[in-house]
């Protein structure tokens, strides 16, 4: 989490400096959004009741009044997980395979699908691979699905494709046969 914060602030500093230099050289046009600004936009769509307040060296969460704002270091586990997943996705190199183990961990079910829709939409250049035990989450993603049929710690994995148009109940039954 701390390394991600550092990377986001470095991106913000580099883009701000590039914009400053461009304007000082007589250039014009809109500033390129920083990844921290993009993160805040996605955050606002997911958690409109908890705004992120960004400054040059700090991130705070602003809950509805009368609650006081608090530092990013004081976020709940769910808030930290959402922040981290958004940030890691945005900071990934172009055309990367992003692997998420238990992508539903600490994220409230009411925003889970919207979170991953936002993240996949923010990085159409990347491929997403989810490793999950949550059959409802897996069934809800529009993608090719696989099931681990067998695992041997040597390591050896036997992986099979789940047939297309398999509903949640069929997926659960298929998994229970493992």
């Amino acid at each position: 989490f701390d390394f991600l914060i550092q990377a986001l602030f470095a991106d913000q500093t580099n883009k701000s400096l590039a914009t400053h230099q461009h304007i000082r050289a007589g250039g014009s046009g809109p500033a390129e959004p920083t990844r921290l600004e993009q993160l805040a936009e996605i955050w606002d769509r997911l958690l409109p009741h908890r705004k992120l307040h960004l400054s040059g060296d700090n991130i705070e969460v602003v809950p509805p009044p009368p609650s006081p704002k608090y530092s990013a270091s004081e976020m709940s586990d769910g808030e930290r997980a959402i922040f981290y997943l958004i940030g890691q996705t945005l900071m990934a190199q172009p055309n990367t395979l992003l692997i998420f183990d238990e992508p539903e961990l600490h994220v409230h079910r009411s925003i889970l699908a919207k979170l991953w829709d936002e993240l996949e939409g923010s990085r159409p250049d990347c491929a997403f691979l989810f490793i999950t035990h949550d059959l409802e989450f897996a069934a809800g993603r529009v993608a090719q699905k696989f099931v681990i049929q067998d695992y041997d710690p040597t390591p050896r994995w036997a992986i099979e494709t789940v047939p297309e148009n398999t509903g949640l109940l069929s997926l659960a039954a298929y998994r229970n046969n493992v």
Side-chain angles (χ1 to χ4, degrees), residues 5-166:
I5 298 284
Q6 290 174 1
L8 288 165
F9 275 123
D11 174 73
Q12 179 171 278
T13 300
N14 289 333
K15 286 187 179 164
S16 296
L17 179 59
T19 300
H20 176 77
Q21 291 171 338
H22 177 72
I23 297 298
R24 300 256 322 178
S28 63
E32 180 182 350
T34 67
R35 290 186 178 111
L36 196 50
E37 289 171 325
Q38 294 171 321
L39 185 152
E41 289 173 10
I42 294 170
W43 174 282
D44 286 347
R45 288 191 295 272
L46 294 170
L47 302 169
H49 61 290
R50 296 249 187 274
K51 300 288 183 189
L52 288 181
H53 179 262
L54 309 175
S55 67
D57 63 353
N58 198 18
I59 301 169
E60 294 177 307
V61 180
V62 183
S67 299
K69 60 184 172 182
Y70 52 91
S71 171
S73 64
E74 297 171 351
M75 289 179 180
S76 70
D77 288 343
E79 290 169 332
R80 286 176 69 88
I82 291 167
F83 186 97
Y84 185 80
L85 292 168
I86 298 169
Q88 285 289 6
T89 300
L90 294 174
M91 292 301 295
Q93 294 295 316
N95 304 310
T96 299
L97 169 63
L98 301 173
I99 302 172
F100 294 96
D101 187 14
E102 298 188 56
E104 69 282 356
L105 195 61
H106 298 296
V107 179
H108 195 278
R109 184 158 302 281
S110 66
I111 63 168
L112 188 61
K114 189 173 180 182
L115 167 65
W116 289 105
D117 290 346
E118 285 276 352
L119 295 182
E120 290 180 78
S122 73
R123 294 304 305 266
D125 61 310
C126 292
F128 287 73
L129 178 90
F130 301 109
I131 302 169
T132 182
H133 297 276
D134 186 335
L135 297 178
E136 186 176 340
F137 173 80
R141 304 311 307 153
V142 178
Q144 180 65 51
K145 295 170 182 62
F146 299 90
V147 64
I148 298 172
Q149 280 293 96
D150 188 28
Y151 169 74
D152 180 334
T154 52
R156 184 184 63 77
W157 301 71
I159 300 173
E160 288 189 26
T161 303
V162 176
E164 298 251 348
N165 300 321
T166 301

